[in-house]
Amino acid sequence: MTGAVTPPQDLYIARHNGVSSQDWYGSIDEVRIHNRALEPGDYALLRTALNDTLGAGAASAGGAVSLLPNPMTGESVTLVVNSADVEALQFAIYDLSGRLVHESVWHIGAAATWLGEDMAGRLVANGAYLVRLFARYGSGSVLDLGTHTLFISR
């Protein structure tokens, strides 16, 4: 929808395929409305700003990171670190405003799964999210593997 919303016109937020039985009912804590579609470069700027705020480390030092599938189109995404000596993974999911959406416990092994839920167990909306990933190694050291972009399109 573009332009002004005037009664009695309905405004729907997060309607799923036009099915009214799946309307979203709840409160909204923050809304950002842009006067244009965000470009890929805008996401990069937001990601850089979040890295600066959170102090993200270098991903190359800990091995290649994969988010499978990306975009997430189903019920879950698996975060994988391609490094033989990873003992456990922990991750945090942020929206593009930098708000923490979900924080995991340590997952044993080099892979962890996220079900696309916030910390209250509600499915998050479609869109772009930032995944901050940490790996614990057999030596006991913990490495910040940086921030990675995940797209959700269910």
Side-chain angles (χ1 to χ4, degrees):
M1 169 175 269
T2 60
V5 177
T6 55
Q9 185 177 9
D10 291 330
L11 174 64
Y12 295 100
I13 298 174
R15 176 167 264 200
H16 179 68
N17 295 329
V19 179
S20 62
S21 65
Q22 296 182 3
D23 284 352
W24 173 77
Y25 298 98
S27 61
I28 299 174
D29 60 355
E30 182 177 335
V31 175
R32 291 183 184 207
I33 299 175
H34 300 271
N35 61 357
R36 62 183 174 76
L38 294 178
E39 301 290 331
D42 296 326
Y43 290 112
L45 289 173
L46 290 167
R47 181 176 166 179
T48 300
L50 182 65
N51 278 341
D52 291 345
T53 301
L54 299 175
S60 60
V65 173
S66 299
L67 309 178
L68 304 170
N70 193 6
M72 180 178 138
T73 56
E75 296 179 359
S76 66
V77 62
T78 302
L79 318 171
V80 181
V81 177
N82 186 15
S83 179
D85 50 342
V86 171
E87 185 177 271
L89 295 179
Q90 183 181 37
F91 61 90
I93 310 291
Y94 297 87
D95 65 17
L96 292 181
S97 72
R99 183 179 62 89
L100 179 65
V101 173
H102 179 86
E103 188 169 36
S104 79
V105 297
W106 283 99
H107 296 264
I108 302 302
T113 298
W114 179 50
L115 300 177
E117 297 175 342
D118 65 13
M119 289 186 285
R122 299 173 298 227
L123 288 178
V124 300
N126 288 341
Y129 292 85
L130 303 173
V131 179
R132 185 84 181 272
L133 192 61
F134 299 89
R136 186 173 64 217
Y137 293 86
S139 64
S141 64
V142 174
L143 183 62
D144 179 349
L145 299 180
T147 305
H148 308 273
T149 305
L150 171 67
F151 296 95
I152 298 178
S153 179
R154 293 187 189 98

